[in-house]
Every structure is written in C-alpha cells, then in structure tokens.
C-alpha cells in the first residue's frame, strides 16, 4: 500500500468515527432542548401576582433590594422641595429630607424617582437611579439630569430661585452701563 492510500484510509476512518460519535452528542443536547421546550409549554401563562415574582426570582438578573427601592415611588411627606427651571422649558422638582442625606426624590416628566447619593472626588452632589439610568449632578451654579443608559442629557442649566438670582444681576449690569468691578 502506498502512503497516499494509507492517508485516505485514515481520513475515512476518522470521518466515520466523527459521524458515529456526533449524533450521540447532538441527541443528548436535542433531548435537553426538547425537555426544556416541553417544560415551557407545560407552564400556564396566567398573569397572577404570584407568578411574576417567582419568574423574577428565578431569573439570574433578578432585582436587588436597591433596585426594588429605586423602582418604588418614594414618599415625599415631610420633605423639603426645590423647583428647578431648566433650559428648553424643562422643570425638575427635588425633594430632600433633613434626616436622610443619602437619597433624594426627583420629579421628572410627571414621574417621581428615588435617587441614591454617589460619592465624587470633585465635591459635586451626584445622585443616581441605576434602574432607570437617571443621574442628577448638582453644582453650586446649576444642576443637570443625565440618562446614563442612552448616554445623553435630559435637562441642563437647571437652576433654582437662588441660583437664578446672580445671573439676572450680571445680565442686567451691562444694560445699565455698569461694568463689574475687576479684581486688580
């Protein structure tokens, strides 16, 4: 026998061996898939309050306690509210509680969201609701609302009554012919 005939015989034998082993491994996965499909079909699709939590608990990405808190509408009873007027006519109301500086409630587009404080190195006040992707950043001059899931601004140049006052004085000064005093 020549070497080429031996090589052909070996490749045929390997191919035959692969074909005989492959169906067994595919059959095992097919029966598992069929069993899963039958189990899914066997479950009733009734929408009851008990069925939903069970499905969420079984899911590997089930809601954490923090996500649950962020999804619930916060209670604003006894909270101080601050209204912000933003560019493009957007309005935001923030509710703060003197006893809890780690959370705020933020009203945006007729919905109240609970946001939790996130530490920053810059000293800015940053609050997040990871479930909805909302981020509120407050600095002394203004505030802004971001959508972290879509990577865009929702509202910018948000100012409360106190933040809006100094801007009005500076804008009025040139029209009166008064220049701001220089530091030198």
């Amino acid at each position: 026998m020549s070497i080429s005939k031996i090589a052909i015989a070996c490749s045929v034998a390997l191919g035959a061996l692969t074909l005989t082993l492959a169906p067994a491994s595919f059959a095992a996965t097919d029966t598992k898939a069929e069993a899963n499909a039958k189990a899914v079909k066997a479950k009733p699709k009734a929408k009851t309050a008990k069925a939903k939590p069970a499905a969420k608990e079984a899911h590997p990405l089930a809601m954490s306690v923090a996500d649950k808190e962020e999804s619930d509408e916060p209670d604003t009873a006894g909270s101080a509210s601050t209204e912000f007027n933003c560019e493009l006519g957007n309005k935001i109301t923030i509710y703060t509680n003197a006893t809890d500086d780690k959370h705020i409630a933020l009203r945006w587009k007729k919905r109240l969201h609970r946001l939790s404080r996130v530490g920053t190195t810059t000293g800015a006040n940053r609050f997040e609701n990871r479930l909805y992707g909302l981020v509120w950043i407050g600095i002394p001059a203004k505030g802004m609302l971001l959508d972290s899931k879509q990577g865009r601004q929702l509202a910018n140049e948000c100012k409360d009554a106190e933040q809006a006052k100094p801007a009005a004085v500076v804008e009025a000064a040139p029209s009166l012919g008064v220049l701001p005093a220089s530091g030198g």
Side-chain angles (χ1 to χ4, degrees), residues 48-65:
T48 63
K50 292 181 181 178
K52 284 185 179 179
K56 286 185 180 179
E57 290 173 5
H59 194 277
L61 299 175
M63 286 181 119
S64 68
V65 173

Side-chain angles (χ1 to χ4, degrees), residues 38-74:
K38 287 179 185 176
V40 169
K41 287 180 184 177
K43 291 182 182 177
K45 292 188 178 182
K47 293 185 178 181
T48 63
K50 292 181 181 178
K52 284 185 179 179
K56 286 185 180 179
E57 290 173 5
H59 194 277
L61 299 175
M63 286 181 119
S64 68
V65 173
D67 287 343
K68 177 73 174 122
E69 287 178 359
E70 289 180 349
S71 69
D72 291 340
E73 189 164 299

Side-chain angles (χ1 to χ4, degrees), residues 2 13 20 33 58 67 89 95-96 118 135 143:
S2 69
T20 57
D67 287 343
Y95 300 90
T96 56
V118 177
V135 177

Side-chain angles (χ1 to χ4, degrees), residues 105-126:
L106 183 137
R107 181 170 302 281
W108 167 251
K109 301 278 184 178
K110 299 181 183 179
R111 173 105 161 101
L112 199 58
H113 299 275
R114 177 184 169 97
L115 283 76
S116 302
R117 182 179 294 278
V118 177
T120 64
T121 57
T122 62
N125 290 318
R126 179 183 171 113

Side-chain angles (χ1 to χ4, degrees), residues 5-182:
K5 288 183 181 180
I6 293 174
I8 292 173
C10 287
S11 61
V12 168
L14 266 174
L17 182 63
T18 331
L19 290 175
T20 57
L21 293 178
S25 63
F26 285 124
T29 58
D30 284 345
T31 55
K32 287 180 186 176
E34 287 174 8
N36 287 340
K38 287 179 185 176
V40 169
K41 287 180 184 177
K43 291 182 182 177
K45 292 188 178 182
K47 293 185 178 181
T48 63
K50 292 181 181 178
K52 284 185 179 179
K56 286 185 180 179
E57 290 173 5
H59 194 277
L61 299 175
M63 286 181 119
S64 68
V65 173
D67 287 343
K68 177 73 174 122
E69 287 178 359
E70 289 180 349
S71 69
D72 291 340
E73 189 164 299
D75 181 21
T76 58
S79 299
S81 66
T82 306
E83 293 191 18
F84 289 84
N85 292 314
C86 309
E87 66 183 2
L88 305 176
N90 292 313
K91 296 193 182 292
I92 293 175
T93 305
I94 293 187
Y95 300 90
T96 56
N97 193 333
T99 60
D100 183 11
D101 67 342
K102 300 210 182 305
H103 299 94
I104 62 170
L106 183 137
R107 181 170 302 281
W108 167 251
K109 301 278 184 178
K110 299 181 183 179
R111 173 105 161 101
L112 199 58
H113 299 275
R114 177 184 169 97
L115 283 76
S116 302
R117 182 179 294 278
V118 177
T120 64
T121 57
T122 62
N125 290 318
R126 179 183 171 113
F127 292 88
E128 269 188 57
N129 182 313
R130 294 176 196 251
L131 181 66
Y132 292 102
L134 294 176
V135 177
W136 171 256
I137 299 175
I139 58 175
K142 68 176 185 173
M144 67 182 82
L145 184 64
L146 308 171
D147 183 340
S148 65
K149 290 188 175 185
Q150 294 183 3
R152 64 184 181 100
Q153 290 183 6
L154 297 173
N156 198 353
E157 296 296 325
C158 300
K159 297 182 179 184
D160 63 11
E162 290 298 315
Q163 291 169 327
K165 281 182 185 176
V169 172
V170 171
E171 289 173 5
S175 65
L176 298 173
V178 179
L179 296 175
S182 63

